[in-house]
């Protein structure tokens, strides 16, 4: 094969690789957007039920620490054990 044929094949392979990579990135972007929409919908649903949302460690990591996240969170960490004697916690959950 001539050099121009090899060059043409390399260009075609590069274009194919770029198309596959962009298609994969597009799927990741759609999955991220879907996950973000799901997280926001869940938080809004919880907020409609109660103004204070209690989160387990697992839910805190998922909704507060992990990405994707296009929202802000104000976290109030509580110490509900009686030996802590947290007056703010007692007033909130009392």
């Amino acid at each position: 094969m001539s050099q121009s044929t090899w060059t043409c094949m390399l260009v075609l392979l590069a274009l194919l690789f770029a198309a596959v990579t962009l298609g994969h990135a597009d799927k990741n972007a759609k999955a991220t957007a879907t996950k973000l929409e799901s997280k926001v919908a869940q938080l809004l649903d919880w907020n409609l039920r109660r103004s204070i949302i209690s989160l387990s460690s697992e839910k805190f990591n998922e909704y507060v620490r992990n990405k994707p996240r296009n929202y802000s969170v104000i976290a109030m960490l509580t110490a509900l054990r009686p030996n802590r004697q947290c007056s703010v916690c007692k007033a909130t959950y009392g």
Side-chain angles (χ1 to χ4, degrees):
M1 284 197 247
S2 68
Q3 186 170 356
S4 63
T5 305
W6 280 106
T7 304
C8 186
M9 288 177 66
L10 287 174
V11 169
L12 287 174
L13 282 173
L15 289 173
L16 179 64
F17 178 74
V20 169
T21 303
L22 289 174
H24 184 66
D26 187 43
K27 287 179 185 176
N28 285 342
K30 286 180 183 177
T32 300
T34 302
K35 182 169 177 139
L36 178 60
E37 289 173 8
S38 173
K39 287 171 69 172
V40 170
Q42 181 64 56
L43 287 169
L44 289 173
D45 183 49
W46 288 338
N47 191 37
L48 288 173
R49 294 180 190 181
R50 290 187 59 197
S51 59
I52 297 175
I53 302 170
S54 297
L55 299 174
S56 65
S57 295
E58 179 183 310
K59 294 291 183 191
F60 181 83
N61 286 332
E62 181 179 347
Y63 289 94
V64 178
R65 296 187 68 207
N66 293 345
K67 294 180 181 180
R69 192 181 81 236
N70 68 347
Y71 50 85
S72 299
V73 176
I74 297 173
M76 182 176 102
L77 304 177
T78 59
L80 297 176
R81 290 188 181 153
N83 62 338
R84 298 285 182 194
Q85 298 179 356
C86 176
S87 59
V88 174
C89 301
K90 287 179 187 175
T92 303
Y93 293 99

